[in-house]
Amino acid sequence: MVTVGVEEEYLLIDAATGVPVARAEQVRRTADLQPAVEAAEVQRELLQAQLEIATPVCRTLEEVDTHLKRLRRALSVSARVHGCRLAACGAAPFADRLPVPVSDTPRYRAMRAEAPQLTDEQLITGMHVHVGVPDRGAGVAVLNGLRPWLPLIVALSANSPLWHGVDTGFASWRTVVFGRWPVSGVPPVFDGATDYSRRVHSLVETGLIRDVGQLYWQARLSERYPTVEIRSMDVQLRVDEAVMLTGLVRAVAATLLVDHRRHRPLPGPGPAPHPHPEALAAALWYAARHGCADRLYDPLTGTLDTPPAVVARVLDVLGPALARSGDASRVEPVLRRLLHDGNGAARQRRELRRGGRAALLGLVGAVDGTPPDDRSPWGSRR
């Protein structure tokens, strides 16, 4: 069984205006006092209007679901204590003219000094899925094989259409903002674990990047855990959609691991084993622009097709892995519902048209599935 862990980043926003507020330390300290929260599950992020949670290592999607609901609920309650709201949108839909200060750590202060404008505009939040791998050689094989899948994952998870009070025209503006940092986008192909290590550490040793944490590829090997970290997703409005994406990513990784163990060529679109980087860069931009409202990039053929056709082919290929893990019931229905109802970006736009700013803030602020004005006491750890 391929294990998974999920990290989610959230914004702290003013409940009335939706403008990000710098209250992360207060909210984090209050959350840490709750019986539902374990030590180190709630962490600082770059800006003081952001927080991140990390689930324990999970073997089932049921565990992922339980932990995300527990942690979202705890942070939502803590945010209300400090007069703000936790928001699960991939980019701040509204912002003040003054920048949000960085979290007070040496690393974050150094990032602000090196790239002040990029840091000030980093009001974006993502979802990262760690999938367990037996060793770094297998991890590189998964990383190489994931490359054509990343545009599809971006399209499905897109949840950041708004920025500074305007519609960007993109489904995932977070992808565009995130891609402005060095060493970003779709990772290159690596010739095994040694090649990965040599090339990554050369970037640090030459001073081109500060540390390996500044590898902003859409997927990378974790330096702390025996995992591949998929970082291409916007944070999700709904827990069940975050769980679905976790299951989908796990199925892709499990399929690639089977191919690696059997010494079969890793599947890729077209006759070449690996798509050309310019094709994947264009596919990633297309996914960020359109989400799943237009055509989707098919990781199996390297072409654009209708969302139902691409999803049908993908589920056919991933079917054995979904069956082995028991994840099909949590992946397939939610994925099909997402195609019918729209991803987070589509629903944000729809809600803004329907009810204006208040309705939008109600949507992005209902991160744990409970009404924003529910002030019930601390939840318990299950």
Side-chain angles (χ1 to χ4, degrees):
M1 175 74 72
V2 175
T3 58
V4 290
V6 177
E7 296 167 338
E8 285 191 326
E9 300 161 348
Y10 313 111
L11 289 167
L12 295 171
I13 61 174
D14 181 271
T17 67
V19 171
V21 291
R23 298 176 194 166
E25 279 303 303
Q26 300 96 305
V27 173
R28 187 171 70 91
R29 285 195 296 267
T30 299
D32 284 343
L33 296 175
Q34 294 193 39
V37 177
E38 295 287 324
E41 285 187 319
V42 181
Q43 302 159 4
R44 292 183 179 95
E45 251 301 326
L46 175 60
L47 299 178
Q48 291 184 28
Q50 299 165 316
L51 283 171
E52 181 181 65
I53 60 93
T55 73
V57 177
C58 301
R59 296 183 62 84
T60 69
L61 293 186
E62 287 76 12
E63 291 177 75
V64 175
D65 181 89
T66 296
H67 289 305
L68 290 183
K69 286 177 178 175
R70 171 176 61 84
L71 291 166
R72 285 183 175 216
R73 176 65 170 165
L75 278 184
S76 293
V77 172
S78 299
R80 288 198 294 269
V81 168
H82 294 283
C84 57
R85 178 181 291 182
L86 197 72
C89 47
F94 311 104
D96 209 338
R97 293 184 179 183
L98 295 177
V100 176
V102 298
S103 297
D104 191 17
T105 72
R107 183 171 187 271
Y108 291 150
R109 290 197 300 269
M111 289 178 64
R112 176 65 172 73
E114 289 176 353
Q117 190 67 30
L118 287 185
T119 301
D120 290 348
E121 295 183 2
Q122 200 69 5
L123 285 166
I124 56 174
T125 51
M127 168 186 166
H128 306 161
V129 175
H130 287 258
V131 293
V133 290
D135 53 62
R136 288 178 77 80
V140 169
V142 170
L143 190 64
N144 286 341
L146 273 168
R147 295 171 71 248
W149 292 85
L150 294 172
L152 174 65
I153 295 168
V154 167
L156 295 174
S157 67
N159 184 33
S160 51
L162 307 172
W163 184 251
H164 287 246
V166 300
D167 191 324
T168 64
F170 281 74
S172 178
W173 187 244
R174 170 187 165 274
T175 298
V176 176
V177 174
F178 197 57
R180 297 184 300 181
W181 292 93
V183 199
S184 59
V186 177
V189 176
F190 295 99
D191 187 19
T194 300
D195 182 50
Y196 181 92
S197 180
R198 176 182 59 81
R199 290 163 63 180
V200 162
H201 288 98
S202 175
L203 290 168
V204 178
E205 291 161 6
T206 56
L208 291 171
I209 61 174
R210 175 174 294 274
D211 52 44
V212 293
Q214 289 193 309
L215 297 174
Y216 295 122
W217 287 315
Q218 298 281 336
R220 67 185 185 187
L221 297 189
S222 171
E223 296 298 315
R224 298 176 59 194
Y225 308 109
T227 65
V228 175
E229 183 184 7
I230 296 87
R231 304 159 53 81
S232 54
M233 292 155 281
D234 290 355
V235 71
Q236 297 298 287
L237 291 173
R238 296 174 54 144
V239 169
D240 62 348
E241 289 169 350
V243 171
M244 177 274 290
L245 289 166
T246 303
L248 188 72
V249 166
R250 170 156 75 172
V252 174
T255 301
L256 294 169
L257 281 171
V258 168
D259 292 330
H260 172 67
R261 285 193 296 266
R262 293 177 180 174
H263 303 287
R264 296 193 304 213
L266 294 170
H274 299 292
H276 294 304
E278 66 273 18
L280 290 183
L284 194 72
W285 190 95
Y286 188 96
R289 168 68 178 85
H290 297 284
C292 51
D294 194 67
R295 294 178 295 170
L296 291 177
Y297 178 81
D298 190 328
L300 304 169
T301 67
T303 62
L304 295 173
D305 204 344
T306 65
V310 172
V311 166
R313 283 193 291 270
V314 163
L315 289 178
D316 186 55
V317 168
L318 300 182
L322 290 169
R324 285 194 303 271
S325 62
D327 291 348
S329 63
R330 284 189 174 266
V331 170
E332 295 179 9
V334 178
L335 181 52
R336 292 195 171 99
R337 187 197 71 208
L338 184 145
L339 292 185
H340 181 269
D341 294 345
N343 57 13
R347 301 203 305 276
Q348 281 196 54
R349 285 173 168 140
R350 193 160 61 231
E351 197 69 7
L352 185 63
R353 289 194 302 268
R354 183 191 66 81
R357 180 179 291 212
L360 175 69
L361 297 181
L363 176 71
V364 302
V367 298
D368 58 354
T370 59
D373 59 352
D374 179 4
R375 298 181 180 270
S376 55
W378 313 139
S380 62
R381 182 179 174 89
R382 296 176 184 174

